[in-house]
Amino acid sequence: MAKEAAGKLEWRTNVPDETSKKLEPDYGLVGKTWLRLKCVMGGLVMKVWGFLEKVWNLGVAEPRKVIHCARVGLALSIVSLFYYIRPLYDDFGGNVMWAVMTVVVVFEYTVGATLSKCINRATGTILAGALGVGIHWVADRSGDKLKPIVLGVSVFFFASAATFSRFIPSVKARFDYGAMIFILTFSLVSVSAYRMVELFELAQDRLSTVAIGASLCILVTMLFCPIWAGCELHRLIHQNMEKLVDSLDGCVAHYFKDSGNLTISEEDLNKKIQGYKCVLNSKATEESMCNFARWEPTHGRFNFGHPWKQYLKIGASLRRCAYCIETLNSCVGSDIEAPPCIRKHLSDKCLKVSSYSTNVLKELAITIMKMKKSSRIEFRVAEMNFAVQELRDALKSLPSHLLAPPSSTGEESTEAKSVPIKKADVLPPIMKVLPLITVVSLLEEIAARIGGVADAVEELASLAEFKPAKDRKPKQNLPTNKIISDNLNRQTI
Amino acid sequence: MAKEAAGKLEWRTNVPDETSKKLEPDYGLVGKTWLRLKCVMGGLVMKVWGFLEKVWNLGVAEPRKVIHCARVGLALSIVSLFYYIRPLYDDFGGNVMWAVMTVVVVFEYTVGATLSKCINRATGTILAGALGVGIHWVADRSGDKLKPIVLGVSVFFFASAATFSRFIPSVKARFDYGAMIFILTFSLVSVSAYRMVELFELAQDRLSTVAIGASLCILVTMLFCPIWAGCELHRLIHQNMEKLVDSLDGCVAHYFKDSGNLTISEEDLNKKIQGYKCVLNSKATEESMCNFARWEPTHGRFNFGHPWKQYLKIGASLRRCAYCIETLNSCVGSDIEAPPCIRKHLSDKCLKVSSYSTNVLKELAITIMKMKKSSRIEFRVAEMNFAVQELRDALKSLPSHLLAPPSSTGEESTEAKSVPIKKADVLPPIMKVLPLITVVSLLEEIAARIGGVADAVEELASLAEFKPAKDRKPKQNLPTNKIISDNLNRQTI
């Protein structure tokens, strides 16, 4: 009975095991390995899937990068045609390799970069080729024994000199690739010349294939959805301005959030505030874009000789704002809170300064985007300066608040009640208002630096001869003027 | 008479002309051209001379760059030997070209960069070669008509995909060159395969010459005065710390210069202050150095697997200090001056905070340089924090000064006399102390950020298992302890 029961129980409990046992023998060790492999493969597939998802998102976010990839594929496929089509192959033969190599090495994301590489490559090749042939001529006349020594020494000397030139900042910025190609071609020519007699023929074939590759690159990069370095730089500066607007707005709104001025969620706000970080590190990108843009011909709204260097100045002034916003951002996170009465007294003025400062940046961003001289920028800057002056005025009236206990100021009584008096006793007023005063001071500094951005943009507008913009909404000018005249009146009173 | 007079006058005024006329006929047009040419040549020579002087200074300032150039020349001359020596030439023939090309393209300033390029090149070449042969095998089996289509489509697809991979940040940081070589090799192999039967032989020859070039580069770069990316990164971080020390010291000394604490000239001071600017823009260099350092084998005091990424964190924390110092620097230039009594009251404390802050940075710089755990860093940080606390205490005692007229504070009477009372009336005290309070606030923030640097360095010390340093001057510990205990006493009182 017990055994039967046990057997039943066993049978019952083992049902799944037995069925699995029934299945296992069919596979044995292979089956187990297969299962494990499936697990590993599953994990791998998941990882690859995750990676592909990331890549897909990158592609969706920046479709022009996908277009660039297609262009590279297209250029290489066209070059391959030289191989597949017999008459062309008969003409160029093995040298088509050089066309393929040129396309791979020279084809860059922006038109300017491609042009810069093409011109560098051509100049470097021609200079080095001519020099190589000259050295070869000298070496030929110096006897069989001296010939390898002359060639070797010349390779050593010119390669070293060209390598050193790549360390000189002005050369590095524009002709780095050319110097490398110079070294390459010179070494190849002087070394090949030692054995080959048909140097000129070789050079001609190679140059023609390189020219084919380079001109193909230039054609494809300029005809199929061209991406201009100049446009990219222009857009980068515009985006950086908008990021600073978001950051500054966000920082100040975050600091005065309990004043009821906050309309968006904490998460969105944090995201907005982080915008300045992109601006902090955009120097390298701006410089390379500017270098490439200077090689580009007239395109869109930009003429050849557009004052691209001025964009670097604007970028530098934007970065100076970003440094200040970075410091402001850490002040904003301070633990010590100013007494609500003082906070209330200054918050409106601070918010005004920040909103007028961002108005200036917004106007500058519009000037950059539309490439039209703004008629309102002077008003905006004046507004900002008046807001700063108002903030200073508000600060001037502070000392009485500072020492007086919060409850004594009649009109702030509601806020004053919420402050425990003991806490106010522990920290003397000056310590309590320290972060607030720092915020005020930084806001003033930011406004001054935004003034610097405005100057740089104005200089760009006059250098690039921007035309005056038509007034978009003339009605909006009225309140601006009103505020300024109000402010002026207050000043004179 | 009139004519005679005119003639005389003419004769008189023309004297110098006639003498020059006498000289001119000797040279004629050729002479003039020669003189002009001499002028132009003189100007050109002067310009070239100026440029060469600059280049010479660059070489003298950084002799390792000159050494690098000599190394490139050496490597290329050695590769050229393969051409000049007949038995070697007979073995490799025209493929030596690939060795030359490899040396030119792969040889970089630091060992890590060269290794990274070699490994990238090898991996890219092998992967693309294998894939190319595979595609070739498939194309061969798809009939003569389909073959060019299969090859063309595969070139388009793989080239586009590899180009896109270069946009993925993680790939771009470490495998950008590998991806380019992949595209190059794949295109060359699949295109060459269409015509050439001896694909394997070709691939073998090419790979062996590339291997010769690459191993030559690695040998030369590691044996002749190697420049390690790791050492460079290490030194860069150390230098940046010292620059911040100079800037912070300089800024604060400049602000309180009339307090009689200034010992160096204005020009030297300005030069010192500008140091932080290098730190602001060092991110890109640090990142590339870190990427290269990770490829490097054990060298000097650095093991393979040294926590190079931690250096990026230290770099980021140093940059955060630099942002704050940038803001401080512009506050320091403010026009409004605080009343001397308040200035005097705070200047000692501010100078103390700045000097203790720089002491921390100096100690961290020594830790980094010697790669030994400092036994005094905790004391230094504590000192700095106490100095900050003292500054706060000094600030707490300010409000009475703020409202009271300067002459009422007995002990400051000598300074107070020098202040015209009218000026004090024009600007309310809060406005007058605004820049000073901002400086105080920024100094506090900088001290906090230097604390962040200390944490990052401590993390590095524990990750890289730095050994404890022997106490250099144990006697110096006494005053430190004394100050801290003094401070502690003051706190408890």
Side-chain angles (χ1 to χ4, degrees):
Chain A
M1 278 290 282
K3 265 190 181 178
E4 247 187 61
K8 270 182 186 174
L9 271 172
E10 207 176 304
W11 182 82
R12 268 179 198 161
T13 51
N14 282 348
V15 169
D17 281 348
E18 286 208 346
T19 47
S20 69
K21 264 181 191 167
K22 261 184 191 168
L23 288 168
E24 252 180 20
D26 290 348
Y27 293 98
L29 196 71
V30 180
K32 275 184 186 170
T33 318
W34 174 241
L35 277 171
R36 258 179 220 164
L37 205 71
K38 259 169 90 176
C39 275
V40 171
M41 288 296 282
L44 207 73
V45 164
M46 284 301 287
K47 267 196 176 174
V48 170
W49 184 251
F51 181 74
L52 286 179
E53 218 171 6
K54 254 190 203 169
V55 170
W56 178 261
N57 290 338
L58 185 73
V60 170
E62 294 189 66
R64 289 187 311 158
K65 287 189 173 164
V66 180
I67 291 171
H68 170 68
C69 299
R71 292 190 307 171
V72 173
L74 182 74
L76 278 174
S77 303
I78 294 175
V79 162
S80 307
L81 279 182
F82 284 82
Y83 248 73
Y84 306 147
I85 299 167
R86 182 151 289 276
L88 282 172
Y89 179 73
D90 292 342
D91 275 356
F92 293 103
N95 279 320
V96 171
M97 191 192 76
W98 288 96
V100 172
M101 197 176 283
T102 307
V103 170
V104 173
V105 174
V106 154
F107 208 116
E108 290 280 334
Y109 184 57
T110 58
V111 178
T114 308
L115 276 175
S116 145
K117 275 203 158 177
C118 284
I119 294 168
N120 263 302
R121 197 179 175 95
T123 318
T125 307
I126 290 168
L127 278 181
L131 194 66
V133 170
I135 297 285
H136 183 227
W137 184 85
V138 171
D140 263 350
R141 262 140 205 83
S142 54
D144 266 2
K145 276 200 175 170
L146 270 178
K147 193 176 172 183
I149 295 172
V150 169
L151 288 176
V153 168
S154 70
V155 165
F156 179 86
F157 178 74
F158 284 106
S160 301
T163 306
F164 191 76
S165 79
R166 294 174 74 185
F167 286 122
I168 302 167
S170 54
V171 175
K172 190 179 173 60
R174 303 195 77 188
F175 307 108
D176 189 58
Y177 185 66
M180 200 186 80
I181 290 296
F182 177 88
I183 305 172
L184 179 61
T185 312
F186 183 75
S187 314
L188 284 183
V189 167
S190 64
V191 160
S192 307
Y194 188 63
R195 296 276 166 192
M196 291 182 202
V197 190
E198 324 86 18
L199 187 68
F200 276 101
E201 223 169 273
L202 179 87
Q204 204 187 335
D205 267 14
R206 204 162 281 182
L207 275 180
S208 59
T209 45
V210 167
I212 288 171
S215 43
L216 183 75
C217 282
I218 294 175
L219 277 180
V220 172
T221 197
M222 285 174 78
L223 296 182
F224 291 87
C225 314
I227 297 161
W228 302 93
C231 288
E232 294 290 298
L233 177 60
H234 193 84
R235 185 197 308 216
L236 181 71
I237 294 288
H238 179 250
Q239 278 175 352
N240 279 354
M241 280 181 182
E242 292 192 330
K243 276 176 186 160
L244 285 190
V245 167
D246 281 352
S247 283
L248 184 55
D249 259 350
C251 266
V252 179
H254 178 72
Y255 190 64
F256 296 106
K257 64 186 165 194
D258 45 13
S259 304
N261 303 73
L262 208 64
T263 49
I264 61 167
S265 76
E266 188 83 8
E267 202 177 326
D268 284 344
L269 189 67
N270 274 333
K271 216 173 168 184
K272 262 179 85 174
I273 291 176
Q274 302 305 316
Y276 70 88
K277 286 189 181 167
C278 298
V279 186
L280 289 176
N281 300 315
S282 65
K283 195 187 181 204
T285 319
E286 279 168 20
E287 277 178 358
S288 71
M289 288 289 174
C290 172
N291 262 327
F292 295 145
R294 286 160 75 195
W295 296 98
E296 284 173 354
T298 303
H299 60 276
R301 298 171 296 171
F302 309 106
N303 294 323
F304 183 78
H306 189 77
W308 293 116
K309 281 202 160 181
Q310 187 60 27
Y311 284 80
L312 293 187
K313 282 190 193 166
I314 300 175
S317 60
L318 285 175
R319 257 193 308 286
R320 293 196 69 219
C321 289
Y323 297 146
C324 232
I325 293 177
E326 205 266 353
T327 314
L328 178 70
N329 190 29
S330 56
C331 283
V332 159
S334 162
D335 294 334
I336 307 165
E337 291 211 344
C341 55
I342 299 174
R343 209 180 157 82
K344 176 80 185 156
H345 182 77
L346 289 177
S347 77
D348 288 346
K349 309 291 174 193
C350 283
L351 285 168
K352 211 169 174 183
V353 168
S354 110
S355 98
Y356 283 148
S357 300
T358 52
N359 275 352
V360 172
L361 275 181
K362 280 175 195 163
E363 192 66 33
L364 292 174
I366 291 171
T367 305
I368 290 279
M369 193 182 61
K370 298 206 169 175
M371 293 184 69
K372 301 265 185 204
K373 255 183 197 161
S374 164
S375 58
R376 308 198 290 173
I377 187 66
E378 283 173 16
F379 286 113
R380 295 285 189 219
V381 172
E383 261 182 5
M384 179 178 75
N385 291 338
F386 277 118
V388 168
Q389 195 55 50
E390 274 190 350
L391 181 60
R392 284 171 165 251
D393 291 343
L395 213 60
K396 277 179 197 168
S397 63
L398 255 192
S400 55
H401 288 275
L402 257 181
L403 283 196
S407 55
S408 71
T409 53
E411 77 271 40
E412 318 276 12
S413 57
T414 44
E415 280 89 3
K417 273 175 192 164
S418 61
V419 194
I421 291 170
K422 274 196 176 174
K423 203 181 164 190
D425 291 343
V426 176
L427 277 173
I430 188 77
M431 287 308 293
K432 286 192 106 183
V433 290
L434 185 65
L436 184 61
I437 288 183
T438 311
V439 166
V440 168
S441 188
L442 287 176
L443 275 178
E444 275 185 29
E445 181 66 28
I446 290 170
R449 292 185 179 192
I450 286 175
V453 180
D455 290 344
V457 172
E458 205 170 316
E459 208 180 324
L460 173 73
S462 70
L463 283 174
E465 292 166 9
F466 286 0
K467 279 171 194 156
K470 287 170 196 161
D471 259 344
R472 285 150 299 174
K473 293 167 195 166
K475 275 180 192 172
Q476 276 198 1
N477 262 352
L478 281 174
T480 312
N481 287 333
K482 198 173 165 287
I483 288 167
I484 291 171
S485 59
D486 280 2
N487 273 307
L488 274 170
N489 290 336
R490 200 176 306 168
Q491 290 294 311
T492 47
I493 290 161
Chain B
M1 278 291 284
K3 266 188 182 177
E4 246 188 63
K8 270 183 186 172
L9 272 173
E10 210 175 301
W11 182 84
R12 269 177 198 164
T13 50
N14 282 348
V15 170
D17 282 349
E18 287 207 347
T19 46
S20 68
K21 264 181 192 166
K22 261 184 190 167
L23 288 169
E24 255 178 19
D26 291 349
Y27 293 97
L29 198 71
V30 180
K32 272 185 187 171
T33 319
W34 174 240
L35 276 171
R36 258 178 221 164
L37 207 70
K38 258 171 91 176
C39 274
V40 170
M41 288 295 283
L44 208 72
V45 165
M46 284 301 287
K47 266 197 177 173
V48 170
W49 183 250
F51 181 75
L52 286 179
E53 217 172 6
K54 252 190 206 169
V55 170
W56 177 261
N57 290 338
L58 185 72
V60 170
E62 295 188 66
R64 292 188 309 160
K65 288 190 172 163
V66 180
I67 292 171
H68 170 67
C69 300
R71 293 190 306 172
V72 173
L74 182 74
L76 277 174
S77 303
I78 294 175
V79 162
S80 306
L81 280 182
F82 282 82
Y83 248 73
Y84 305 146
I85 300 167
R86 184 150 287 278
L88 281 172
Y89 179 74
D90 291 343
D91 276 356
F92 293 104
N95 279 321
V96 171
M97 191 191 77
W98 289 97
V100 173
M101 196 177 285
T102 307
V103 170
V104 173
V105 175
V106 153
F107 208 116
E108 290 279 333
Y109 184 56
T110 58
V111 178
T114 308
L115 276 175
S116 144
K117 274 204 159 176
C118 285
I119 295 168
N120 262 302
R121 197 179 175 94
T123 318
T125 307
I126 291 168
L127 277 180
L131 193 67
V133 170
I135 296 285
H136 183 225
W137 184 84
V138 171
D140 263 350
R141 264 143 203 81
S142 54
D144 265 2
K145 278 200 173 171
L146 270 179
K147 193 175 170 183
I149 296 172
V150 169
L151 288 177
V153 168
S154 70
V155 165
F156 179 86
F157 178 74
F158 284 106
S160 301
T163 305
F164 191 75
S165 79
R166 294 174 73 185
F167 287 122
I168 302 167
S170 54
V171 175
K172 189 178 175 57
R174 303 195 75 189
F175 307 109
D176 189 59
Y177 185 66
M180 200 186 79
I181 291 296
F182 176 90
I183 304 173
L184 179 62
T185 312
F186 183 75
S187 314
L188 284 183
V189 167
S190 64
V191 160
S192 307
Y194 188 64
R195 295 276 166 193
M196 292 183 202
V197 190
E198 325 85 19
L199 185 69
F200 276 100
E201 223 167 275
L202 179 88
Q204 205 186 333
D205 268 12
R206 203 160 284 180
L207 274 180
S208 59
T209 46
V210 167
I212 288 171
S215 44
L216 183 75
C217 282
I218 294 176
L219 277 179
V220 172
T221 197
M222 284 174 78
L223 295 183
F224 292 86
C225 313
I227 298 161
W228 302 95
C231 287
E232 295 290 298
L233 177 60
H234 194 83
R235 184 195 309 213
L236 181 69
I237 293 288
H238 178 250
Q239 276 174 354
N240 279 354
M241 279 182 181
E242 291 192 330
K243 276 176 187 160
L244 286 190
V245 167
D246 281 352
S247 282
L248 185 54
D249 259 351
C251 266
V252 178
H254 178 72
Y255 189 64
F256 295 106
K257 62 187 167 193
D258 45 14
S259 302
N261 306 72
L262 209 62
T263 48
I264 61 167
S265 75
E266 188 84 6
E267 202 178 326
D268 285 344
L269 189 67
N270 273 333
K271 215 173 169 186
K272 261 179 84 175
I273 291 176
Q274 302 305 317
Y276 71 88
K277 286 189 180 166
C278 298
V279 185
L280 288 176
N281 300 315
S282 64
K283 195 187 180 204
T285 319
E286 280 168 21
E287 276 177 358
S288 71
M289 288 288 175
C290 172
N291 262 327
F292 295 145
R294 286 160 75 195
W295 296 98
E296 285 174 352
T298 302
H299 60 276
R301 297 172 297 171
F302 308 107
N303 295 322
F304 183 78
H306 188 78
W308 294 115
K309 281 201 160 182
Q310 187 61 27
Y311 284 80
L312 294 187
K313 282 190 193 168
I314 299 175
S317 60
L318 285 175
R319 255 193 311 286
R320 294 196 69 220
C321 287
Y323 297 146
C324 232
I325 292 177
E326 205 267 352
T327 314
L328 179 69
N329 190 29
S330 57
C331 283
V332 159
S334 162
D335 294 333
I336 305 164
E337 291 210 345
C341 55
I342 299 175
R343 210 180 154 81
K344 175 83 186 155
H345 182 76
L346 289 178
S347 76
D348 288 347
K349 311 291 173 191
C350 282
L351 284 168
K352 210 168 176 184
V353 168
S354 112
S355 98
Y356 284 147
S357 299
T358 53
N359 276 351
V360 171
L361 274 182
K362 281 176 194 163
E363 191 66 35
L364 292 174
I366 291 172
T367 306
I368 290 280
M369 192 182 60
K370 299 207 168 176
M371 294 184 70
K372 301 266 186 204
K373 256 182 196 163
S374 163
S375 57
R376 307 197 293 172
I377 187 66
E378 284 174 13
F379 284 114
R380 295 284 188 220
V381 173
E383 262 179 8
M384 177 177 77
N385 291 338
F386 277 116
V388 169
Q389 196 55 49
E390 275 189 352
L391 181 61
R392 284 171 164 250
D393 290 344
L395 212 59
K396 278 180 197 169
S397 62
L398 256 193
S400 55
H401 288 277
L402 259 181
L403 283 197
S407 55
S408 70
T409 53
E411 77 270 40
E412 317 278 12
S413 56
T414 45
E415 281 88 2
K417 273 174 192 164
S418 63
V419 194
I421 292 172
K422 273 197 177 173
K423 201 180 168 190
D425 291 342
V426 175
L427 276 174
I430 187 78
M431 286 310 291
K432 285 191 108 182
V433 290
L434 185 66
L436 184 60
I437 289 183
T438 311
V439 166
V440 168
S441 188
L442 286 176
L443 275 177
E444 274 185 31
E445 181 66 27
I446 289 170
R449 290 185 181 192
I450 287 176
V453 180
D455 291 344
V457 173
E458 204 170 317
E459 209 180 325
L460 174 72
S462 70
L463 282 174
E465 293 166 8
F466 285 0
K467 279 169 193 156
K470 287 171 196 161
D471 258 345
R472 286 151 298 174
K473 293 168 195 164
K475 276 180 189 169
Q476 278 199 359
N477 264 353
L478 281 174
T480 312
N481 286 335
K482 197 172 167 290
I483 288 168
I484 290 171
S485 59
D486 280 1
N487 273 307
L488 271 170
N489 290 336
R490 199 176 307 166
Q491 289 296 310
T492 46
I493 290 163

